[in-house]
Amino acid sequence: MAKNCNFIDKLREVGLRPTKQRVKMCEVLFNREKTFHFTINDLVKMISEQMNQKISLATVYNTVHAFEKKGYLKEISIDSHKSYFDTNTSIHHHFFDEDTHELIDCDESDIDPVNIKKNITGKKINSVEVLIKVASDNQTQK
Amino acid sequence: MAKNCNFIDKLREVGLRPTKQRVKMCEVLFNREKTFHFTINDLVKMISEQMNQKISLATVYNTVHAFEKKGYLKEISIDSHKSYFDTNTSIHHHFFDEDTHELIDCDESDIDPVNIKKNITGKKINSVEVLIKVASDNQTQK
DNA sequence: AATATACATTATAATAGTTCTAAACTATTG
DNA sequence: CAATAGTTTAGAACTATTATAATGTATATT
Ligand SMILES: [Mn+2]
Ligand SMILES: [Mn+2]
Ligand SMILES: [Zn+2]
Ligand SMILES: [Zn+2]
C-alpha cells in the first residue's frame, strides 16, 4: 500500500484533494504495468468492484475530466457512439479492432513518421495521429 | 432541375424510393462542386431552408443512415461529443481545426503514404487514416 | 483538537443526441 | 385504380452526459 502515498502526493501536486474516491481511481487507472484504454462504464465497474461499494457516476465523470484537464488522461475519439479514455497521454497511434471494438496502442517503432507536405496558413500543427482499422481476415479463400 | 432525375435514378439503383425528402436531401448533399462535412443538425437546417418547410428529424437520421449503409456517406469520428458525416466516402485524411471545429480534407498529395511496420496477427488492415489537429498560431513572440 | 472554510461526493433532475413507435401518407405494382 | 410495401412524421423513449443542491470530507485556522 506504499503506492497510495504516491497517489496522494501526485494528487496534491496538481491541486486535487486526495479523497478516497480519487485515490482509488488512481490505483485503478495508474497502478499497473501498461497504459490502457477504457470507457466511463468500464471504469465505474472496476472501481465499484475494488471498493466493494458503489461510486457515484457523477464523481467518475467529474474526476475523469479533472484528470483529463490536468493531463493525466486523454480522450480518444474513435467511435462517435462511445467515449474512450487513455492513460497514455502522449501523442500516439492506434489500431482499432472493428470486431471487438478494442483499441491497441501503436509503438513509435511500428510506424514511420508521417510526412505532411501541406499546411494551413495561420495554423500550427498540434498533433498528428494515425488510426488503423483492422478486422479479422476470414477470407474463406477456395 | 435536370439533376433531380439523376438523383431519382441513383436512389432507384440502390433500392431506395425516390421520395421528395430523399431527392431534396440528395440535392443538398450531392449537388455541389466539392464534398463536404456536416452534422445532422446542419443538414436538418439546410434541408428545411431549401424546402421552405420542416423535415422530420427522424427522416433525416433514417435517411442519413440509409445513405451511409449504401456507401453514399461516411461517418467521421473526430469529436466524441458530435457526429460528423462526410460526402467524401473514400479513405482519406483530415485536418481538424480545434478553434473552429472545422474538418478539412487532406488531398492525397498532401501527405506521404503511411508506412506501417507492424501487423496484428489474424487481422487485416481495412483503413489507415491520419488526423492532423491544428490551431491558430498566436505565439505572441517578442 | 475544535472550528471554519473550501472543496468533493452523492442522488437525483435536467439536457441533448439519437432511436423507436405507430399512425398517416406515398410510391410502386398489378 | 386498388392493393401493397415502404416512408414520413410527431412524439415518446432511451442513453450518455452534465447540472443541481444537499450532505460529507479534507484542510487551514484557531
Ligand atoms: Mn470531454
Ligand atoms: Mn451511425
Ligand atoms: Zn492509446
Ligand atoms: Zn472528409
mmCIF file of all heavy atoms in Angstrom, chain C residues 4-21:
data_model
loop_
_atom_site.group_PDB
_atom_site.id
_atom_site.type_symbol
_atom_site.label_atom_id
_atom_site.label_comp_id
_atom_site.label_asym_id
_atom_site.label_seq_id
_atom_site.Cartn_x
_atom_site.Cartn_y
_atom_site.Cartn_z
ATOM 1 P P DA C 4 -17.224 27.760 14.093
ATOM 2 O OP1 DA C 4 -17.733 29.085 14.528
ATOM 3 O OP2 DA C 4 -18.143 26.632 13.869
ATOM 4 O "O5'" DA C 4 -16.329 27.993 12.805
ATOM 5 C "C5'" DA C 4 -15.147 28.799 12.906
ATOM 6 C "C4'" DA C 4 -14.544 28.963 11.520
ATOM 7 O "O4'" DA C 4 -13.890 27.727 11.139
ATOM 8 C "C3'" DA C 4 -15.556 29.274 10.416
ATOM 9 O "O3'" DA C 4 -14.958 30.218 9.535
ATOM 10 C "C2'" DA C 4 -15.808 27.931 9.759
ATOM 11 C "C1'" DA C 4 -14.454 27.251 9.914
ATOM 12 N N9 DA C 4 -14.490 25.791 10.033
ATOM 13 C C8 DA C 4 -15.396 25.026 10.706
ATOM 14 N N7 DA C 4 -15.152 23.742 10.661
ATOM 15 C C5 DA C 4 -13.996 23.660 9.899
ATOM 16 C C6 DA C 4 -13.213 22.559 9.473
ATOM 17 N N6 DA C 4 -13.493 21.294 9.785
ATOM 18 N N1 DA C 4 -12.118 22.825 8.723
ATOM 19 C C2 DA C 4 -11.837 24.097 8.418
ATOM 20 N N3 DA C 4 -12.493 25.217 8.758
ATOM 21 C C4 DA C 4 -13.570 24.913 9.503
ATOM 22 P P DT C 5 -15.877 30.839 8.342
ATOM 23 O OP1 DT C 5 -15.535 32.278 8.230
ATOM 24 O OP2 DT C 5 -17.290 30.392 8.511
ATOM 25 O "O5'" DT C 5 -15.263 30.092 7.078
ATOM 26 C "C5'" DT C 5 -13.858 30.199 6.824
ATOM 27 C "C4'" DT C 5 -13.496 29.222 5.730
ATOM 28 O "O4'" DT C 5 -13.595 27.875 6.250
ATOM 29 C "C3'" DT C 5 -14.443 29.277 4.535
ATOM 30 O "O3'" DT C 5 -13.765 29.927 3.472
ATOM 31 C "C2'" DT C 5 -14.773 27.807 4.230
ATOM 32 C "C1'" DT C 5 -13.870 27.024 5.171
ATOM 33 N N1 DT C 5 -14.452 25.780 5.748
ATOM 34 C C2 DT C 5 -13.767 24.606 5.615
ATOM 35 O O2 DT C 5 -12.698 24.511 5.041
ATOM 36 N N3 DT C 5 -14.375 23.518 6.187
ATOM 37 C C4 DT C 5 -15.587 23.493 6.863
ATOM 38 O O4 DT C 5 -16.038 22.466 7.328
ATOM 39 C C5 DT C 5 -16.266 24.774 6.958
ATOM 40 C C7 DT C 5 -17.584 24.868 7.649
ATOM 41 C C6 DT C 5 -15.671 25.845 6.397
ATOM 42 P P DA C 6 -14.448 29.943 1.964
ATOM 43 O OP1 DA C 6 -13.994 31.174 1.285
ATOM 44 O OP2 DA C 6 -15.886 29.616 2.076
ATOM 45 O "O5'" DA C 6 -13.719 28.705 1.282
ATOM 46 C "C5'" DA C 6 -12.323 28.488 1.474
ATOM 47 C "C4'" DA C 6 -11.965 27.184 0.799
ATOM 48 O "O4'" DA C 6 -12.551 26.096 1.553
ATOM 49 C "C3'" DA C 6 -12.530 27.075 -0.622
ATOM 50 O "O3'" DA C 6 -11.570 26.432 -1.439
ATOM 51 C "C2'" DA C 6 -13.790 26.244 -0.449
ATOM 52 C "C1'" DA C 6 -13.416 25.342 0.717
ATOM 53 N N9 DA C 6 -14.550 24.906 1.547
ATOM 54 C C8 DA C 6 -15.641 25.646 1.924
ATOM 55 N N7 DA C 6 -16.495 24.986 2.678
ATOM 56 C C5 DA C 6 -15.921 23.729 2.800
ATOM 57 C C6 DA C 6 -16.334 22.551 3.475
ATOM 58 N N6 DA C 6 -17.463 22.468 4.184
ATOM 59 N N1 DA C 6 -15.529 21.484 3.385
ATOM 60 C C2 DA C 6 -14.397 21.571 2.686
ATOM 61 N N3 DA C 6 -13.898 22.613 2.006
ATOM 62 C C4 DA C 6 -14.720 23.673 2.114
ATOM 63 P P DC C 7 -11.811 26.261 -3.005
ATOM 64 O OP1 DC C 7 -10.528 26.600 -3.668
ATOM 65 O OP2 DC C 7 -13.076 26.926 -3.373
ATOM 66 O "O5'" DC C 7 -12.026 24.701 -3.143
ATOM 67 C "C5'" DC C 7 -11.142 23.819 -2.470
ATOM 68 C "C4'" DC C 7 -11.815 22.468 -2.355
ATOM 69 O "O4'" DC C 7 -12.946 22.537 -1.462
ATOM 70 C "C3'" DC C 7 -12.363 21.939 -3.689
ATOM 71 O "O3'" DC C 7 -11.761 20.683 -3.903
ATOM 72 C "C2'" DC C 7 -13.874 21.858 -3.461
ATOM 73 C "C1'" DC C 7 -13.927 21.647 -1.949
ATOM 74 N N1 DC C 7 -15.197 21.985 -1.253
ATOM 75 C C2 DC C 7 -15.797 21.005 -0.457
ATOM 76 O O2 DC C 7 -15.258 19.891 -0.357
ATOM 77 N N3 DC C 7 -16.954 21.293 0.197
ATOM 78 C C4 DC C 7 -17.502 22.504 0.070
ATOM 79 N N4 DC C 7 -18.634 22.747 0.740
ATOM 80 C C5 DC C 7 -16.908 23.527 -0.728
ATOM 81 C C6 DC C 7 -15.760 23.220 -1.374
ATOM 82 P P DA C 8 -12.047 19.735 -5.115
ATOM 83 O OP1 DA C 8 -10.754 19.207 -5.578
ATOM 84 O OP2 DA C 8 -12.928 20.471 -6.031
ATOM 85 O "O5'" DA C 8 -12.896 18.515 -4.565
ATOM 86 C "C5'" DA C 8 -12.846 18.108 -3.266
ATOM 87 C "C4'" DA C 8 -13.617 16.807 -3.102
ATOM 88 O "O4'" DA C 8 -14.832 17.113 -2.401
ATOM 89 C "C3'" DA C 8 -14.055 16.074 -4.361
ATOM 90 O "O3'" DA C 8 -13.939 14.690 -4.080
ATOM 91 C "C2'" DA C 8 -15.477 16.547 -4.594
ATOM 92 C "C1'" DA C 8 -15.962 16.837 -3.176
ATOM 93 N N9 DA C 8 -16.826 17.996 -3.029
ATOM 94 C C8 DA C 8 -16.653 19.243 -3.556
ATOM 95 N N7 DA C 8 -17.592 20.117 -3.223
ATOM 96 C C5 DA C 8 -18.452 19.360 -2.405
ATOM 97 C C6 DA C 8 -19.637 19.683 -1.720
ATOM 98 N N6 DA C 8 -20.193 20.906 -1.743
ATOM 99 N N1 DA C 8 -20.232 18.714 -1.013
ATOM 100 C C2 DA C 8 -19.675 17.503 -0.974
ATOM 101 N N3 DA C 8 -18.549 17.067 -1.569
ATOM 102 C C4 DA C 8 -17.987 18.061 -2.281
ATOM 103 P P DT C 9 -14.549 13.591 -4.981
ATOM 104 O OP1 DT C 9 -13.728 12.379 -4.830
ATOM 105 O OP2 DT C 9 -14.787 14.183 -6.320
ATOM 106 O "O5'" DT C 9 -15.953 13.324 -4.296
ATOM 107 C "C5'" DT C 9 -15.976 12.621 -3.063
ATOM 108 C "C4'" DT C 9 -17.421 12.233 -2.745
ATOM 109 O "O4'" DT C 9 -18.190 13.454 -2.692
ATOM 110 C "C3'" DT C 9 -18.077 11.352 -3.813
ATOM 111 O "O3'" DT C 9 -18.595 10.199 -3.138
ATOM 112 C "C2'" DT C 9 -19.160 12.232 -4.436
ATOM 113 C "C1'" DT C 9 -19.410 13.275 -3.361
ATOM 114 N N1 DT C 9 -19.809 14.648 -3.804
ATOM 115 C C2 DT C 9 -20.912 15.244 -3.233
ATOM 116 O O2 DT C 9 -21.611 14.684 -2.397
ATOM 117 N N3 DT C 9 -21.179 16.519 -3.672
ATOM 118 C C4 DT C 9 -20.464 17.248 -4.592
ATOM 119 O O4 DT C 9 -20.802 18.382 -4.894
ATOM 120 C C5 DT C 9 -19.316 16.575 -5.155
ATOM 121 C C7 DT C 9 -18.467 17.284 -6.177
ATOM 122 C C6 DT C 9 -19.053 15.324 -4.737
ATOM 123 P P DT C 10 -19.290 9.019 -3.984
ATOM 124 O OP1 DT C 10 -19.110 7.762 -3.240
ATOM 125 O OP2 DT C 10 -18.864 9.122 -5.393
ATOM 126 O "O5'" DT C 10 -20.816 9.441 -3.900
ATOM 127 C "C5'" DT C 10 -21.406 9.622 -2.615
ATOM 128 C "C4'" DT C 10 -22.813 10.170 -2.771
ATOM 129 O "O4'" DT C 10 -22.737 11.568 -3.138
ATOM 130 C "C3'" DT C 10 -23.615 9.501 -3.871
ATOM 131 O "O3'" DT C 10 -24.546 8.610 -3.261
ATOM 132 C "C2'" DT C 10 -24.323 10.642 -4.605
ATOM 133 C "C1'" DT C 10 -23.871 11.895 -3.897
ATOM 134 N N1 DT C 10 -23.433 13.015 -4.783
ATOM 135 C C2 DT C 10 -24.073 14.222 -4.688
ATOM 136 O O2 DT C 10 -25.005 14.438 -3.942
ATOM 137 N N3 DT C 10 -23.579 15.202 -5.527
ATOM 138 C C4 DT C 10 -22.524 15.079 -6.415
ATOM 139 O O4 DT C 10 -22.170 16.027 -7.107
ATOM 140 C C5 DT C 10 -21.909 13.771 -6.463
ATOM 141 C C7 DT C 10 -20.759 13.520 -7.400
ATOM 142 C C6 DT C 10 -22.394 12.815 -5.654
ATOM 143 P P DA C 11 -25.403 7.600 -4.128
ATOM 144 O OP1 DA C 11 -25.701 6.413 -3.294
ATOM 145 O OP2 DA C 11 -24.760 7.451 -5.439
ATOM 146 O "O5'" DA C 11 -26.753 8.428 -4.328
ATOM 147 C "C5'" DA C 11 -27.488 8.854 -3.181
ATOM 148 C "C4'" DA C 11 -28.644 9.731 -3.627
ATOM 149 O "O4'" DA C 11 -28.118 10.941 -4.238
ATOM 150 C "C3'" DA C 11 -29.551 9.084 -4.681
ATOM 151 O "O3'" DA C 11 -30.901 9.389 -4.330
ATOM 152 C "C2'" DA C 11 -29.117 9.726 -5.996
ATOM 153 C "C1'" DA C 11 -28.645 11.107 -5.539
ATOM 154 N N9 DA C 11 -27.572 11.682 -6.366
ATOM 155 C C8 DA C 11 -26.539 11.024 -6.949
ATOM 156 N N7 DA C 11 -25.713 11.800 -7.619
ATOM 157 C C5 DA C 11 -26.244 13.067 -7.450
ATOM 158 C C6 DA C 11 -25.839 14.342 -7.911
ATOM 159 N N6 DA C 11 -24.754 14.537 -8.654
ATOM 160 N N1 DA C 11 -26.594 15.405 -7.561
ATOM 161 C C2 DA C 11 -27.686 15.197 -6.803
ATOM 162 N N3 DA C 11 -28.163 14.047 -6.308
ATOM 163 C C4 DA C 11 -27.389 13.008 -6.674
ATOM 164 P P DT C 12 -32.092 8.840 -5.172
ATOM 165 O OP1 DT C 12 -33.203 8.610 -4.242
ATOM 166 O OP2 DT C 12 -31.606 7.773 -6.082
ATOM 167 O "O5'" DT C 12 -32.442 10.116 -6.075
ATOM 168 C "C5'" DT C 12 -32.559 11.399 -5.464
ATOM 169 C "C4'" DT C 12 -32.601 12.443 -6.555
ATOM 170 O "O4'" DT C 12 -31.281 12.670 -7.091
ATOM 171 C "C3'" DT C 12 -33.478 12.044 -7.748
ATOM 172 O "O3'" DT C 12 -34.491 13.022 -7.888
ATOM 173 C "C2'" DT C 12 -32.502 11.999 -8.920
ATOM 174 C "C1'" DT C 12 -31.422 12.965 -8.452
ATOM 175 N N1 DT C 12 -30.096 12.824 -9.126
ATOM 176 C C2 DT C 12 -29.479 13.957 -9.598
ATOM 177 O O2 DT C 12 -29.954 15.074 -9.486
ATOM 178 N N3 DT C 12 -28.268 13.740 -10.210
ATOM 179 C C4 DT C 12 -27.638 12.535 -10.398
ATOM 180 O O4 DT C 12 -26.556 12.483 -10.963
ATOM 181 C C5 DT C 12 -28.337 11.382 -9.882
ATOM 182 C C7 DT C 12 -27.745 10.022 -10.030
ATOM 183 C C6 DT C 12 -29.515 11.572 -9.280
ATOM 184 P P DA C 13 -35.590 12.949 -9.037
ATOM 185 O OP1 DA C 13 -36.891 13.127 -8.385
ATOM 186 O OP2 DA C 13 -35.335 11.775 -9.909
ATOM 187 O "O5'" DA C 13 -35.239 14.269 -9.867
ATOM 188 C "C5'" DA C 13 -34.832 15.449 -9.162
ATOM 189 C "C4'" DA C 13 -34.405 16.507 -10.166
ATOM 190 O "O4'" DA C 13 -33.069 16.223 -10.634
ATOM 191 C "C3'" DA C 13 -35.288 16.589 -11.405
ATOM 192 O "O3'" DA C 13 -35.422 17.953 -11.748
ATOM 193 C "C2'" DA C 13 -34.520 15.765 -12.433
ATOM 194 C "C1'" DA C 13 -33.079 16.057 -12.053
ATOM 195 N N9 DA C 13 -32.126 14.976 -12.360
ATOM 196 C C8 DA C 13 -32.240 13.642 -12.069
ATOM 197 N N7 DA C 13 -31.220 12.915 -12.442
ATOM 198 C C5 DA C 13 -30.363 13.832 -13.020
ATOM 199 C C6 DA C 13 -29.082 13.697 -13.624
ATOM 200 N N6 DA C 13 -28.444 12.535 -13.731
ATOM 201 N N1 DA C 13 -28.505 14.813 -14.104
ATOM 202 C C2 DA C 13 -29.149 15.981 -13.985
ATOM 203 N N3 DA C 13 -30.341 16.239 -13.448
ATOM 204 C C4 DA C 13 -30.900 15.109 -12.974
ATOM 205 P P DA C 14 -36.192 18.357 -13.124
ATOM 206 O OP1 DA C 14 -36.854 19.659 -12.865
ATOM 207 O OP2 DA C 14 -36.956 17.180 -13.613
ATOM 208 O "O5'" DA C 14 -34.996 18.629 -14.137
ATOM 209 C "C5'" DA C 14 -34.020 19.620 -13.810
ATOM 210 C "C4'" DA C 14 -33.055 19.732 -14.961
ATOM 211 O "O4'" DA C 14 -32.275 18.520 -15.052
ATOM 212 C "C3'" DA C 14 -33.714 19.925 -16.332
ATOM 213 O "O3'" DA C 14 -33.041 20.983 -16.954
ATOM 214 C "C2'" DA C 14 -33.512 18.583 -17.029
ATOM 215 C "C1'" DA C 14 -32.214 18.091 -16.396
ATOM 216 N N9 DA C 14 -32.009 16.643 -16.358
ATOM 217 C C8 DA C 14 -32.877 15.697 -15.897
ATOM 218 N N7 DA C 14 -32.404 14.466 -15.953
ATOM 219 C C5 DA C 14 -31.141 14.625 -16.495
ATOM 220 C C6 DA C 14 -30.122 13.703 -16.810
ATOM 221 N N6 DA C 14 -30.237 12.385 -16.621
ATOM 222 N N1 DA C 14 -28.978 14.199 -17.344
ATOM 223 C C2 DA C 14 -28.870 15.521 -17.531
ATOM 224 N N3 DA C 14 -29.756 16.488 -17.266
ATOM 225 C C4 DA C 14 -30.873 15.962 -16.748
ATOM 226 P P DT C 15 -33.585 21.563 -18.392
ATOM 227 O OP1 DT C 15 -33.352 23.004 -18.404
ATOM 228 O OP2 DT C 15 -34.922 20.961 -18.663
ATOM 229 O "O5'" DT C 15 -32.547 20.899 -19.395
ATOM 230 C "C5'" DT C 15 -31.152 21.057 -19.149
ATOM 231 C "C4'" DT C 15 -30.393 20.250 -20.159
ATOM 232 O "O4'" DT C 15 -30.463 18.856 -19.821
ATOM 233 C "C3'" DT C 15 -30.933 20.373 -21.586
ATOM 234 O "O3'" DT C 15 -29.881 20.925 -22.352
ATOM 235 C "C2'" DT C 15 -31.304 18.941 -21.965
ATOM 236 C "C1'" DT C 15 -30.423 18.131 -21.028
ATOM 237 N N1 DT C 15 -30.833 16.751 -20.673
ATOM 238 C C2 DT C 15 -29.897 15.737 -20.818
ATOM 239 O O2 DT C 15 -28.779 15.927 -21.253
ATOM 240 N N3 DT C 15 -30.329 14.494 -20.444
ATOM 241 C C4 DT C 15 -31.576 14.168 -19.945
ATOM 242 O O4 DT C 15 -31.837 13.026 -19.640
ATOM 243 C C5 DT C 15 -32.507 15.273 -19.814
ATOM 244 C C7 DT C 15 -33.874 15.013 -19.296
ATOM 245 C C6 DT C 15 -32.092 16.485 -20.181
ATOM 246 P P DA C 16 -30.144 21.289 -23.892
ATOM 247 O OP1 DA C 16 -29.322 22.483 -24.192
ATOM 248 O OP2 DA C 16 -31.606 21.261 -24.177
ATOM 249 O "O5'" DA C 16 -29.464 20.045 -24.605
ATOM 250 C "C5'" DA C 16 -28.197 19.592 -24.161
ATOM 251 C "C4'" DA C 16 -27.737 18.474 -25.067
ATOM 252 O "O4'" DA C 16 -28.280 17.228 -24.584
ATOM 253 C "C3'" DA C 16 -28.229 18.624 -26.504
ATOM 254 O "O3'" DA C 16 -27.228 18.152 -27.370
ATOM 255 C "C2'" DA C 16 -29.478 17.760 -26.547
ATOM 256 C "C1'" DA C 16 -29.109 16.643 -25.571
ATOM 257 N N9 DA C 16 -30.232 16.032 -24.876
ATOM 258 C C8 DA C 16 -31.421 16.604 -24.507
ATOM 259 N N7 DA C 16 -32.228 15.781 -23.874
ATOM 260 C C5 DA C 16 -31.514 14.589 -23.831
ATOM 261 C C6 DA C 16 -31.813 13.324 -23.305
ATOM 262 N N6 DA C 16 -32.957 13.040 -22.694
ATOM 263 N N1 DA C 16 -30.879 12.360 -23.426
ATOM 264 C C2 DA C 16 -29.727 12.649 -24.038
ATOM 265 N N3 DA C 16 -29.331 13.797 -24.579
ATOM 266 C C4 DA C 16 -30.279 14.734 -24.434
ATOM 267 P P DG C 17 -27.447 18.273 -28.963
ATOM 268 O OP1 DG C 17 -26.294 19.017 -29.485
ATOM 269 O OP2 DG C 17 -28.843 18.674 -29.263
ATOM 270 O "O5'" DG C 17 -27.280 16.757 -29.408
ATOM 271 C "C5'" DG C 17 -26.125 16.036 -28.987
ATOM 272 C "C4'" DG C 17 -26.399 14.578 -29.240
ATOM 273 O "O4'" DG C 17 -27.474 14.154 -28.374
ATOM 274 C "C3'" DG C 17 -26.865 14.289 -30.674
ATOM 275 O "O3'" DG C 17 -26.100 13.197 -31.164
ATOM 276 C "C2'" DG C 17 -28.340 13.950 -30.533
ATOM 277 C "C1'" DG C 17 -28.424 13.428 -29.105
ATOM 278 N N9 DG C 17 -29.721 13.603 -28.450
ATOM 279 C C8 DG C 17 -30.499 14.731 -28.394
ATOM 280 N N7 DG C 17 -31.615 14.568 -27.729
ATOM 281 C C5 DG C 17 -31.557 13.242 -27.314
ATOM 282 C C6 DG C 17 -32.486 12.476 -26.547
ATOM 283 O O6 DG C 17 -33.572 12.827 -26.076
ATOM 284 N N1 DG C 17 -32.038 11.175 -26.357
ATOM 285 C C2 DG C 17 -30.852 10.681 -26.831
ATOM 286 N N2 DG C 17 -30.584 9.401 -26.546
ATOM 287 N N3 DG C 17 -29.980 11.376 -27.546
ATOM 288 C C4 DG C 17 -30.399 12.640 -27.743
ATOM 289 P P DT C 18 -26.283 12.718 -32.666
ATOM 290 O OP1 DT C 18 -24.998 12.164 -33.100
ATOM 291 O OP2 DT C 18 -26.981 13.736 -33.481
ATOM 292 O "O5'" DT C 18 -27.285 11.484 -32.485
ATOM 293 C "C5'" DT C 18 -26.899 10.449 -31.599
ATOM 294 C "C4'" DT C 18 -28.066 9.512 -31.381
ATOM 295 O "O4'" DT C 18 -29.137 10.210 -30.720
ATOM 296 C "C3'" DT C 18 -28.677 8.944 -32.664
ATOM 297 O "O3'" DT C 18 -28.336 7.563 -32.703
ATOM 298 C "C2'" DT C 18 -30.180 9.201 -32.527
ATOM 299 C "C1'" DT C 18 -30.328 9.530 -31.048
ATOM 300 N N1 DT C 18 -31.444 10.427 -30.657
ATOM 301 C C2 DT C 18 -32.434 9.933 -29.824
ATOM 302 O O2 DT C 18 -32.434 8.791 -29.406
ATOM 303 N N3 DT C 18 -33.429 10.826 -29.507
ATOM 304 C C4 DT C 18 -33.533 12.137 -29.921
ATOM 305 O O4 DT C 18 -34.480 12.826 -29.557
ATOM 306 C C5 DT C 18 -32.472 12.601 -30.779
ATOM 307 C C7 DT C 18 -32.490 14.005 -31.287
ATOM 308 C C6 DT C 18 -31.483 11.733 -31.109
ATOM 309 P P DT C 19 -28.856 6.615 -33.838
ATOM 310 O OP1 DT C 19 -27.874 5.531 -33.951
ATOM 311 O OP2 DT C 19 -29.248 7.402 -35.027
ATOM 312 O "O5'" DT C 19 -30.188 6.017 -33.199
ATOM 313 C "C5'" DT C 19 -30.087 5.257 -32.014
ATOM 314 C "C4'" DT C 19 -31.475 4.797 -31.613
ATOM 315 O "O4'" DT C 19 -32.298 5.943 -31.318
ATOM 316 C "C3'" DT C 19 -32.206 4.009 -32.701
ATOM 317 O "O3'" DT C 19 -32.665 2.824 -32.058
ATOM 318 C "C2'" DT C 19 -33.325 4.947 -33.134
ATOM 319 C "C1'" DT C 19 -33.583 5.731 -31.859
ATOM 320 N N1 DT C 19 -34.174 7.084 -31.972
ATOM 321 C C2 DT C 19 -35.286 7.394 -31.223
ATOM 322 O O2 DT C 19 -35.825 6.597 -30.477
ATOM 323 N N3 DT C 19 -35.748 8.680 -31.367
ATOM 324 C C4 DT C 19 -35.219 9.667 -32.170
ATOM 325 O O4 DT C 19 -35.727 10.775 -32.204
ATOM 326 C C5 DT C 19 -34.066 9.278 -32.935
ATOM 327 C C7 DT C 19 -33.420 10.274 -33.848
ATOM 328 C C6 DT C 19 -33.605 8.030 -32.803
ATOM 329 P P DC C 20 -33.548 1.731 -32.826
ATOM 330 O OP1 DC C 20 -33.111 0.402 -32.358
ATOM 331 O OP2 DC C 20 -33.548 2.065 -34.269
ATOM 332 O "O5'" DC C 20 -35.012 2.011 -32.242
ATOM 333 C "C5'" DC C 20 -35.176 2.082 -30.838
ATOM 334 C "C4'" DC C 20 -36.655 2.277 -30.515
ATOM 335 O "O4'" DC C 20 -37.034 3.648 -30.750
ATOM 336 C "C3'" DC C 20 -37.614 1.414 -31.340
ATOM 337 O "O3'" DC C 20 -38.546 0.870 -30.417
ATOM 338 C "C2'" DC C 20 -38.236 2.401 -32.330
ATOM 339 C "C1'" DC C 20 -38.198 3.712 -31.548
ATOM 340 N N1 DC C 20 -38.046 4.972 -32.335
ATOM 341 C C2 DC C 20 -38.947 6.034 -32.115
ATOM 342 O O2 DC C 20 -39.875 5.886 -31.318
ATOM 343 N N3 DC C 20 -38.772 7.189 -32.806
ATOM 344 C C4 DC C 20 -37.755 7.315 -33.658
ATOM 345 N N4 DC C 20 -37.624 8.484 -34.294
ATOM 346 C C5 DC C 20 -36.832 6.262 -33.894
ATOM 347 C C6 DC C 20 -37.008 5.107 -33.214
ATOM 348 P P DT C 21 -39.699 -0.146 -30.936
ATOM 349 O OP1 DT C 21 -39.979 -1.046 -29.796
ATOM 350 O OP2 DT C 21 -39.291 -0.687 -32.244
ATOM 351 O "O5'" DT C 21 -40.954 0.790 -31.153
ATOM 352 C "C5'" DT C 21 -41.353 1.644 -30.101
ATOM 353 C "C4'" DT C 21 -42.695 2.268 -30.456
ATOM 354 O "O4'" DT C 21 -42.459 3.513 -31.171
ATOM 355 C "C3'" DT C 21 -43.573 1.410 -31.356
ATOM 356 O "O3'" DT C 21 -44.887 1.458 -30.848
ATOM 357 C "C2'" DT C 21 -43.451 2.066 -32.725
ATOM 358 C "C1'" DT C 21 -43.240 3.531 -32.342
ATOM 359 N N1 DT C 21 -42.476 4.377 -33.306
ATOM 360 C C2 DT C 21 -42.853 5.694 -33.471
ATOM 361 O O2 DT C 21 -43.800 6.195 -32.898
ATOM 362 N N3 DT C 21 -42.082 6.401 -34.341
ATOM 363 C C4 DT C 21 -40.991 5.945 -35.058
ATOM 364 O O4 DT C 21 -40.383 6.688 -35.807
ATOM 365 C C5 DT C 21 -40.644 4.565 -34.841
ATOM 366 C C7 DT C 21 -39.483 3.963 -35.570
ATOM 367 C C6 DT C 21 -41.399 3.849 -33.984
#
